Amino acid sequence: MKPSKKDRKIMIIHGPNLNMLGKREPEIYGKETLGEINAKLEELAEKLDIDVETFQSNYEGKIIEKIQSASGGSGICKGLIINPAAFTHTSIAIRDALLLLDIPIIEIHLSNIYKRESFRRKSMIADVVTAQISGFGVQGYIIALNAIAKM
Ligand code: DQA
């Protein structure tokens, strides 16, 4: 029997202020809204015959609970794509939560974090994820989903 799409679920987590995409520093983050980005990812998932769940929060604890939910129970996921936004540079707690997971994890940033202020050049999670994509704008999410679907 062909496994159901639900058995090939990828979680996509967007961190703080990414709900303001479109309005927020468009010269850095682009003009597309988070809704438009999620719609593109859902469309691609359909083509790839996988299931995606998208989630955004401005709260560190909610992001941690979502990461924890990816590792067990009925919501078990086969991969995680995460843009922790500003928490990338500060959150040991998100790093620790990611260490719970035994699935491919792709860290993604719309902007090239290495080309910006020095405080953005440090990622607390870069050394615990499978791969990092930084600087491709929205295209980075498309690259990440295509890649993780094959993993
Ligand atoms: C970001 C880069 C972070 O430094 C910043 O705080 C963000 C977005 C990006 O996608 O380029 O909110 O993660």
Side-chain angles (χ1 to χ4, degrees):
M1 200 175 75
K2 197 176 168 226
S4 104
K5 253 176 41 164
K6 299 273 169 237
D7 299 323
R8 296 190 302 282
K9 180 164 143 185
I10 306 296
M11 175 85 76
I12 303 174
I13 299 180
H14 308 284
N17 297 308
L18 294 175
N19 56 320
M20 299 310 284
L21 287 177
K23 283 194 200 128
R24 179 188 177 205
E25 298 177 273
E27 63 293 351
I28 297 177
Y29 299 117
K31 293 196 183 119
E32 278 178 86
T33 65
L34 190 61
E36 288 164 347
I37 295 172
N38 284 338
K40 275 190 180 167
L41 292 169
E42 275 152 23
E43 200 183 304
L44 176 60
E46 200 62 45
K47 284 189 195 138
L48 294 169
D49 196 27
I50 57 175
D51 192 26
V52 287
E53 178 180 346
T54 60
F55 175 81
Q56 189 277 331
S57 181
N58 295 320
Y59 297 92
E60 190 175 14
K62 289 201 172 157
I63 293 172
I64 290 165
E65 283 173 2
K66 201 67 188 171
I67 294 169
Q68 290 175 357
S69 80
S71 73
S74 55
I76 198 151
C77 289
K78 293 290 189 274
L80 171 68
I81 296 170
I82 180 164
N83 182 349
F87 291 144
T88 307
H89 318 296
T90 61
S91 182
I92 296 170
I94 288 179
R95 175 197 172 88
D96 286 347
L98 293 176
L99 285 168
L100 285 167
L101 303 184
D102 191 17
I103 53 175
I105 304 170
I106 301 185
E107 171 187 356
I108 166 143
H109 302 285
L110 291 153
S111 63
N112 180 350
I113 56 171
Y114 301 101
K115 222 176 146 181
R116 300 184 61 195
E117 302 95 323
S118 58
F119 62 85
R120 291 188 208 276
R121 288 184 208 140
K122 175 77 193 156
S123 163
M124 302 301 280
I125 67 166
D127 62 322
V128 301
V129 296
T130 312
Q132 187 196 62
I133 296 173
S134 177
F136 282 107
V138 176
Q139 197 53 33
Y141 285 95
I142 304 291
I143 294 167
L145 189 57
N146 272 306
I148 213 162
K150 294 202 176 84
M151 282 168 145

